[in-house]
């Protein structure tokens, strides 16, 4: 009864990629919020569909006080269907999920049947009709269309359970400059959230408030491989956690506590 339980849903940015896991923003958030328990349910490489299913079939069983649904812009297009994951369709304005549970690789292999007729010309024509706006834009449109009922369901259930729902928008990262298309998708997503009256926090606003410049650390290499960081550095994750904490404070979910200025001491792996 005295613990604030927070569920963190997301992709590799929530998981805490390219840094020791103790520096992932859910872990830092737990240290910043007194008497809190943050459950990190981030999974590398997933999209808004898998994050939603993780919430629906696992997170809710923990009766969380707060749900943070962290969306990196790319996550919206990752919802596109394939044979080994659930398929999201919109039928009469409602979300219909098929291929659930998905078949395992053994079932796919054993039940595969070659097509009776195959035409690469036909495939080429269908492909160009389907993606006449461009592959990336078409995929984003499909994702936004499915995201609408996903957010409706999450909002409705959160209101019923008296849970605070916060959508975290991760719009930029180290060595990852958003394209004009991604910037437009972010704008559309914000419009959707404001129309539904769902609370959200923008990573760009958080970093700006903290006077944290991503480009200052673009030369830093990841811990798992010798290449420039493409996610966030430990300082970036920490400021993200602090921004979420501040949002929870403003919403009256947790008591106000002091903010920190972060320094990263790479020689000792200390923040």
């Amino acid at each position: 009864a005295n613990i604030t339980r927070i569920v963190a849903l997301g992709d590799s940015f929530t998981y805490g990629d390219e840094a020791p896991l103790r520096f992932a923003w859910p872990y830092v958030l737990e240290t910043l919020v007194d008497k809190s328990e943050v459950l990190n349910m981030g999974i590398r490489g997933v999209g808004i569909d898998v994050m939603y299913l993780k919430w629906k079939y696992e997170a809710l069983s923990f009766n969380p006080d707060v749900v943070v649904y962290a969306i990196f812009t790319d996550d919206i297009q990752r919802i596109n269907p394939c044979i080994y994951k659930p398929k999201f369709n919109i039928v009469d304005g409602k979300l219909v999920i098929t291929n659930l549970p998905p078949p395992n690789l053994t079932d796919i292999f054993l039940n595969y049947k070659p097509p009776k007729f195959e035409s690469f010309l036909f495939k080429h024509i269908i492909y160009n009709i389907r993606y006449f706006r461009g592959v990336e834009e078409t995929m984003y449109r499909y994702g936004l269309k499915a995201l609408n009922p996903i957010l409706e369901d999450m909002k409705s259930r959160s209101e019923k359970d008296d849970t605070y729902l916060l959508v975290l928008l991760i719009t930029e990262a180290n060595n990852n400059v958003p394209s004009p298309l991604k910037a437009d998708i972010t704008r559309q997503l914000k419009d959707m959230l404001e129309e539904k009256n769902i609370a959200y926090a923008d990573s760009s606003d958080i970093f700006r408030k903290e006077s944290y410049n991503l480009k200052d650390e673009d030369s830093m290499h990841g811990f798992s491989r010798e290449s420039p960081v493409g996610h966030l550095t430990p300082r970036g994750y920490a400021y993200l956690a602090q921004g979420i904490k501040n949002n929870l404070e403003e919403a009256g979910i947790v008591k106000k506590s002091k903010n920190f200025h972060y320094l990263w001491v790479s020689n000792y792996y200390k923040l």
Side-chain angles (χ1 to χ4, degrees):
N2 297 323
I3 295 294
T4 300
R5 179 174 292 153
I6 304 170
V7 163
L9 302 161
D11 62 2
S12 51
F13 283 91
T14 299
Y15 170 81
D17 216 349
E18 295 191 274
L21 294 183
R22 68 180 182 273
F23 299 119
W25 68 258
Y27 187 97
V28 179
L29 181 63
E30 186 174 271
T31 66
L32 294 178
V33 178
D34 188 38
K35 296 181 179 179
S36 69
E37 176 183 69
V38 182
L39 308 181
N40 187 346
M41 295 189 178
I43 309 172
R44 286 170 165 166
V46 301
I48 54 174
D49 50 347
V50 176
M51 290 151 51
Y52 167 73
L53 294 173
K54 190 77 171 172
W55 166 80
K56 191 176 185 68
Y57 294 108
E58 186 170 348
L60 290 177
S61 65
F62 290 94
N63 300 312
D65 301 294
V66 177
V67 170
V68 181
Y69 187 49
I71 302 175
F72 177 53
T73 312
D74 284 2
D75 298 341
I76 298 174
Q77 64 165 329
R78 290 175 182 170
I79 192 175
N80 275 268
C82 57
I83 195 170
Y84 58 85
K85 63 183 288 191
K87 183 177 181 180
F88 283 55
N89 290 311
I90 309 300
V91 180
D92 297 329
K94 294 183 179 180
L95 185 64
V96 177
I97 305 175
T98 56
N99 203 37
L100 184 67
N104 59 46
L105 293 178
T106 301
D107 291 336
I108 294 172
F109 176 77
L110 293 177
N111 294 305
Y112 173 76
K113 294 180 181 179
K116 294 180 180 179
F117 171 77
E118 188 169 23
S119 169
F120 289 102
L121 176 61
F122 183 70
K123 285 182 178 180
H124 180 73
I125 293 172
I126 294 297
Y127 180 89
N128 281 277
I129 292 175
R130 178 179 294 174
Y131 297 112
F132 76 97
R133 292 178 179 273
V135 174
E136 189 175 25
E137 184 173 346
T138 301
M139 292 168 67
Y140 273 119
R141 285 178 177 272
Y142 175 77
L144 283 176
K145 188 177 180 181
L147 184 59
N148 191 58
I150 285 175
L151 291 174
E152 289 284 357
D153 187 27
M154 295 184 73
K155 178 186 177 183
S156 176
R157 180 61 187 263
S158 297
E159 290 175 344
K160 178 182 177 182
D161 294 347
D162 194 25
T163 299
Y164 181 68
L165 173 62
L166 174 66
V167 175
L168 172 65
L169 304 179
I170 303 177
T171 56
E172 57 182 330
N174 289 86
N175 298 291
N176 196 323
V177 180
S179 65
L181 174 59
K182 290 183 179 181
D184 183 59
I185 294 299
T186 298
R187 179 190 58 78
Q188 294 183 53
L189 179 52
K190 287 182 178 180
D191 290 343
M192 184 186 296
L193 293 168
E194 290 170 0
E195 181 181 339
K196 297 181 184 302
N197 196 27
I198 296 176
Y200 71 87
D202 185 337
S203 64
S204 298
D205 295 335
I206 292 173
F207 292 147
R208 193 177 303 111
K209 180 181 177 181
E210 300 287 358
S211 299
Y212 173 69
N213 189 344
L214 288 165
K215 290 184 173 55
D216 289 345
E217 300 184 23
D218 274 354
S219 60
M220 183 174 173
H221 283 202
F223 290 83
S224 58
R225 51 189 178 273
E226 294 184 1
S227 59
V229 171
H231 289 77
L232 296 172
T233 67
R235 287 212 314 144
Y237 283 125
Y239 281 125
L240 202 59
Q242 188 154 273
I244 297 169
K245 175 191 78 81
N246 291 339
N247 183 283
L248 299 181
E249 291 172 346
E250 293 168 5
I253 307 299
V254 301
K255 292 183 179 179
K256 188 171 180 59
S257 59
K258 63 181 179 180
N259 285 341
F260 293 89
H261 173 72
Y262 292 97
L263 294 175
W264 170 246
V265 186
S266 58
N267 292 340
Y268 298 98
Y269 292 86
K270 287 186 177 182
L271 186 67

